[in-house]
Amino acid sequence: MHYICSMKQRLTHIIFMLMATCSLTAQSMVSGIITDGKDPLAGANVFIMGTIDGCLADSLGQFAFQTSKTGEVTLKATFIGYEDFMLTTDISQLTHCTIQMKEQATNIDEVVVTASTFHFGKSDSFKTMDALDVVMAGNSCGDVVAALQTLPGTQMVGEYGKLYVRGGESEECQTFVNGMHVLVPYSTNTANNTVRGRFSPFLFKGISFSLGGYGGEYGQALSAVLPMETTDKAESDKYGVSASLVDWNAGGTKAFANSSLSFNAALTSMGLYNRLFSERFDFFRPYRKLSGEAQYKKEFSTTGVMKSYIGYDLTSVGQRIDGRNLSLKEHNIYANITRKASIGHGYSLFTGIANSSVISDINNARTAGDHYHNFRNEVHLKAEIRKVCSRALKLSAGMEDYFRHSTLSYEASQYHLDYNILATHVDAQWRIIPRLFLNLSARAEMMETDWSVMPRATLSFIPNNNLQLSLVAGRYSQVAEDDYLALSRKTLGQSTADHAILSLQYKTKGILLRIEPYLKSYHHLPLLTNGNYLPQGHGSSRGVDLFVENNTLIKNLTTTLSYSYNDAERLYLDYTTPHMPEYASRHNLRLTAKYGIGKTIIGLAETYASKRHFAEGKVPYFNSLDANLTYLLSPKIIVYASLNNILGRTNIFGIDSKGLPVTATRDRFLYIGIFVSLKNNKAYDISNF
């Protein structure tokens, strides 16, 4: 019994000693305040590493908790958007302490500098638009180029329909598919008839339309670039058809384990439409285009992604004009294959090859009995290596070569032209401080034996998620068109343009705003001097672009305002004095409204362009009020209709050599189309890739 009592006493003493020890260690208090240097960080997590001792800071940034740890400990604080804070010291030093956290710097891979660029498709950038938006945007009728003409910086040139950007020629805007150059991105047509872009919007997952100030990767473009990225490997089969008064499409995708094969076939014909609706021009053979596209995409588990694309267009049209039967036929084929792969140690490699071939034949081009034949070919080779060096630095460097051939045969005009352009570039994207970013690049190009070096830079300040300020400057070059280059016996070399752009972008949940003043200066443009083209032309283009999109006025209503002011002047080609180019208009305005109600979307668009100047005189302003309606007939069927130029205004695009006004084929254009998915749950997955 004595032994048992003794054991009880010992156990009681041990328990009291343990309780006393716990009581003593529990009295260690950790307290203080946590801020970002200015404001308290309410909700920041503060704790002792290796324990569960800690708490959240209150609304004043204050924290306090007890810990059983003694001696040297590590205090850690975390808060979303800020770098982790750690302090190793004796526990006695953690009373009434002050923690100042630093804002977490954005990873350079997460930064999207949107100065002078509009992004479409899968992008979190300034402006987004998917394939269905392109098809049903205003008066685009499914044409990517027409949809892009709703943006500021583009100018209304109705007789051609091509992209004219910030006072530049249409040839100054170049198109790239998966990083590879497209020699001729438009279909053909007779004079004073709008052309269309060759590519279906359903082909692409993303479109980045840069109005100027692009990096060193892109060359041979004086004014703008249109890089388009095709869709990735499909995960399921898709088939669909669409039909309208002017075109019919069928296409789809077959998905495999790690690859997919896509196709699309389309026929465009104005025959039925011309019979239903009268037009001003006399076509003995209506405009027709037969086109086909195919794409194969394959993902390699360890070596990256391969994409291949091929597209072919056959276009023909015949028009009675000036007592002759003008007959035009063109074959246009484009193919590319690219591969992106990781090669280890943080490096990735891009390689690609593209071929463009265009064959044009025109009978009775200028006089009865004549024949015009032109063959153009380009092979584009490209390789680029990229590396993300750190969270603050990303580098890339590449080389490319353009091999070009052109043959012309027309009466006394005959030439065979061969040349190549070798280029190299280096790009560095650097985060100087957490919200200040610098992109430095340099591009060098050699044609024949002449080198051109073009430095480029973009400085961007991104103070928060809503605002971005950028300053862009750089030099850009482009070889003269083949006709001028051949006539000058390749002495023209390359023209250059210097860009300077100031960009302000503001974005909230319901409002997008962009303001961009710009200045371009042209040098070494082709100028006809004593019967020969010499690189003595020059010019300038200055202005400001404004874009506003608003979703806050009325529920389900989206409005946009796009305005451009441009003051351009040139001395080039056959100009005898500097003056505003014939394709340029000083003011371009577009207002749109899109309202959704139930299964219906109603759209209105107002387009205005001020007078244009021709040698024969001025032409009146351009104005068109357009309307469109989209109706979801079922989950797999969409019906779309649009009517352009509701008011029926006869817009005059120019003045011909006889002093007569140049007008469109018809004042109004009605488009009715139906889009049907045969094997998917969305109608707009028709004929997509």
Side-chain angles (χ1 to χ4, degrees):
M1 181 65 70
H2 176 77
Y3 174 78
I4 294 174
C5 290
S6 177
M7 287 296 295
K8 285 183 178 179
Q9 289 177 347
R10 289 181 181 180
L11 287 173
T12 302
H13 289 159
I14 292 173
I15 291 172
F16 275 116
M17 289 177 64
L18 288 173
M19 290 177 65
T21 302
C22 291
S23 176
L24 289 172
T25 57
Q27 299 306 309
S28 296
M29 179 67 69
V30 178
S31 63
I33 185 171
I34 184 167
T35 72
D36 61 0
K38 295 181 180 179
D39 302 314
L41 295 180
N45 187 23
V46 187
F47 59 95
I48 300 296
M49 289 190 66
T51 75
I52 59 172
D53 301 330
C55 68
L56 298 179
D58 62 18
S59 60
L60 298 178
Q62 297 176 349
F63 63 91
F65 62 90
Q66 293 178 333
T67 179
S68 59
K69 298 290 288 185
T70 60
E72 189 175 81
V73 297
T74 298
L75 180 71
K76 184 174 182 179
T78 63
F79 191 66
I80 296 176
Y82 289 79
E83 295 180 1
D84 292 350
F85 173 89
M86 287 193 293
L87 174 64
T88 301
T89 185
D90 190 89
I91 191 69
S92 62
Q93 303 298 315
L94 295 180
T95 303
H96 306 298
C97 60
T98 298
I99 297 176
Q100 182 175 321
M101 299 189 72
K102 295 181 180 179
E103 190 171 358
Q104 188 177 52
T106 305
N107 191 323
I108 193 68
D109 266 355
E110 300 171 359
V111 178
V112 179
V113 177
T114 58
S116 207
T117 300
F118 286 85
H119 298 268
F120 300 80
K122 294 181 180 179
S123 171
D124 294 327
S125 303
F126 180 73
K127 170 73 176 164
T128 60
M129 178 183 290
D130 61 24
L132 187 63
D133 291 325
V134 172
V135 170
M136 301 174 181
N139 60 352
S140 71
C141 299
D143 183 24
V144 173
V145 173
L148 293 174
Q149 289 172 349
T150 65
L151 298 176
T154 62
Q155 298 190 303
M156 172 56 66
V157 187
E159 67 270 35
Y160 296 116
K162 300 179 181 180
L163 285 171
Y164 291 78
V165 177
R166 290 178 173 172
E169 279 268 25
S170 62
E171 286 75 12
E172 296 175 16
C173 178
Q174 296 296 310
T175 301
F176 296 82
V177 172
N178 295 337
M180 306 306 296
H181 185 243
V182 181
L183 186 61
V184 180
Y186 303 102
S187 62
T188 189
N189 211 334
T190 56
N192 303 321
N193 279 281
T194 300
V195 301
R196 290 172 61 88
R198 294 184 55 213
F199 302 105
S200 165
F202 293 102
L203 170 67
F204 304 99
K205 69 174 182 181
I207 300 172
S208 298
F209 182 34
S210 179
L211 303 166
Y214 29 95
E217 178 183 359
Y218 297 109
Q220 290 304 298
L222 282 179
S223 287
V225 293
L226 178 59
M228 301 190 288
E229 183 74 19
T230 57
T231 54
D232 296 326
K233 180 185 73 68
E235 301 298 330
S236 61
D237 296 349
K238 307 173 185 179
Y239 303 102
V241 295
S242 66
S244 74
L245 295 174
V246 296
D247 57 3
W248 299 265
N249 295 266
T253 293
K254 178 63 178 177
F256 304 100
N258 59 355
S259 63
S260 60
L261 177 64
S262 307
F263 71 93
N264 184 62
L267 172 64
T268 302
S269 175
M270 293 298 297
L272 174 61
Y273 197 93
N274 289 346
R275 287 194 293 269
L276 293 175
F277 304 98
S278 61
E279 40 88 17
R280 292 189 178 93
F281 300 159
D282 184 9
F283 292 99
F284 66 87
R285 185 171 68 247
Y287 176 88
R288 296 191 185 100
K289 183 178 76 169
L290 177 64
S291 60
E293 299 167 289
Q295 184 183 176
Y296 179 70
K297 295 149 286 188
K298 182 176 178 65
E299 293 182 353
F300 301 91
S301 58
T302 59
T303 55
V305 178
M306 184 270 289
K307 291 183 178 182
S308 61
Y309 168 83
I310 184 170
Y312 169 73
D313 292 343
L314 170 60
T315 307
S316 66
V317 62
Q319 180 182 350
R320 294 183 182 91
I321 182 172
D322 295 335
R324 69 185 191 279
N325 289 339
L326 174 66
S327 179
L328 185 151
K329 181 180 290 187
E330 182 177 274
H331 302 267
N332 192 334
I333 184 169
Y334 173 77
N336 73 29
I337 181 169
T338 63
R339 181 162 179 171
K340 296 179 181 179
S342 173
I343 56 177
H345 303 289
Y347 289 92
S348 62
L349 178 66
F350 171 90
T351 55
I353 180 172
N355 183 87
S356 298
S357 297
V358 183
I359 304 172
S360 300
D361 286 283
I362 305 175
N363 291 321
N364 308 312
R366 294 179 180 172
T367 60
D370 68 8
H371 178 74
Y372 173 95
H373 174 79
N374 180 226
F375 170 69
R376 299 177 63 190
N377 180 257
E378 177 189 81
V379 176
H380 182 205
L381 305 176
K382 183 176 181 179
E384 185 179 51
I385 189 167
R386 303 161 183 169
K387 179 175 175 59
V388 178
C389 302
S390 68
R391 290 173 57 86
L393 181 64
K394 181 166 65 173
L395 300 175
S396 65
M399 293 189 67
E400 56 189 319
D401 208 344
Y402 297 83
F403 297 90
R404 291 178 177 174
H405 169 78
S406 183
T407 301
L408 175 71
S409 174
Y410 179 65
E411 295 184 336
S413 300
Q414 308 277 338
Y415 68 73
H416 295 268
L417 182 67
D418 291 284
Y419 64 96
N420 80 292
I421 305 165
L422 180 65
T424 182
H425 74 272
V426 178
D427 281 84
Q429 298 181 45
W430 177 34
R431 186 191 68 218
I432 304 174
I433 57 177
R435 295 193 175 277
L436 187 65
F437 303 87
L438 178 63
N439 188 327
L440 289 175
S441 63
R443 183 178 178 89
E445 294 183 343
M446 183 182 73
M447 178 188 170
E448 299 299 315
T449 58
D450 294 331
W451 278 96
S452 300
V453 179
M454 293 152 285
R456 304 168 186 179
T458 300
L459 182 66
S460 296
F461 177 57
I462 309 176
N464 52 55
N465 293 331
N466 304 112
L467 184 64
Q468 182 175 135
L469 299 169
S470 299
L471 179 62
V472 185
R475 171 162 290 187
Y476 304 85
S477 69
Q478 186 172 348
V479 175
E481 293 180 49
D482 288 349
D483 288 350
Y484 306 131
L485 196 61
L487 290 173
S488 72
R489 298 180 181 179
K490 295 193 285 190
T491 59
L492 273 176
Q494 299 206 75
S495 302
T496 61
D498 297 323
H499 295 195
I501 305 165
L502 178 63
S503 177
L504 182 150
Q505 300 175 85
Y506 177 76
K507 176 181 179 181
T508 64
K509 186 175 181 180
I511 298 176
L512 305 173
L513 169 67
R514 168 180 286 175
I515 302 174
E516 285 190 352
Y518 62 88
L519 173 64
K520 292 196 295 185
S521 179
Y522 291 91
H523 309 279
H524 311 300
L525 297 175
L527 179 66
L528 185 61
T529 305
N530 298 323
N532 190 24
Y533 285 99
L534 301 176
Q536 298 178 351
H538 55 83
S540 65
S541 178
R542 59 181 64 87
V544 61
D545 295 335
L546 171 66
F547 181 84
V548 181
E549 182 176 85
N550 194 319
N551 297 300
T552 65
L553 299 177
I554 300 175
K555 185 180 180 180
N556 299 327
L557 175 67
T558 299
T559 61
T560 66
L561 182 152
S562 176
Y563 169 73
S564 298
Y565 169 80
N566 176 255
D567 180 19
E569 184 178 81
R570 286 193 178 200
L571 176 65
Y572 83 135
L573 300 183
D574 59 352
Y575 288 17
T576 56
T577 59
H579 60 80
M580 180 176 285
E582 296 176 346
Y583 54 80
S585 51
R586 200 172 299 276
H587 304 279
N588 282 265
L589 173 68
R590 185 173 179 86
L591 302 171
T592 69
K594 182 171 67 174
Y595 182 71
I597 177 171
K599 297 181 179 181
T600 305
I601 300 175
I602 302 172
L604 286 174
E606 165 64 25
T607 303
Y608 168 85
S610 60
K611 299 177 180 179
R612 289 163 55 192
H613 298 258
F614 291 80
E616 297 81 4
K618 298 180 181 178
V619 298
Y621 65 87
F622 174 93
N623 185 70
S624 179
L625 177 63
D626 312 322
N628 61 83
L629 183 145
T630 305
Y631 180 68
L632 184 63
L633 190 62
S634 77
K636 294 187 177 184
I637 301 176
I638 287 179
V639 178
Y640 172 76
S642 68
L643 178 61
N644 297 341
N645 196 14
I646 296 173
L647 303 179
R649 173 182 169 82
T650 300
N651 287 301
I652 299 175
F653 299 128
I655 302 174
D656 64 19
S657 57
K658 298 178 181 179
L660 299 176
V662 175
T663 61
T665 304
R666 47 179 59 86
D667 292 331
R668 297 184 179 91
F669 189 85
L670 175 66
Y671 183 90
I672 301 176
I674 183 169
F675 303 82
V676 182
S677 174
L678 300 179
K679 194 176 181 180
N680 214 328
N681 60 353
K682 297 179 180 178
Y684 57 80
D685 272 340
I686 56 101
S687 66
N688 75 353
F689 290 80

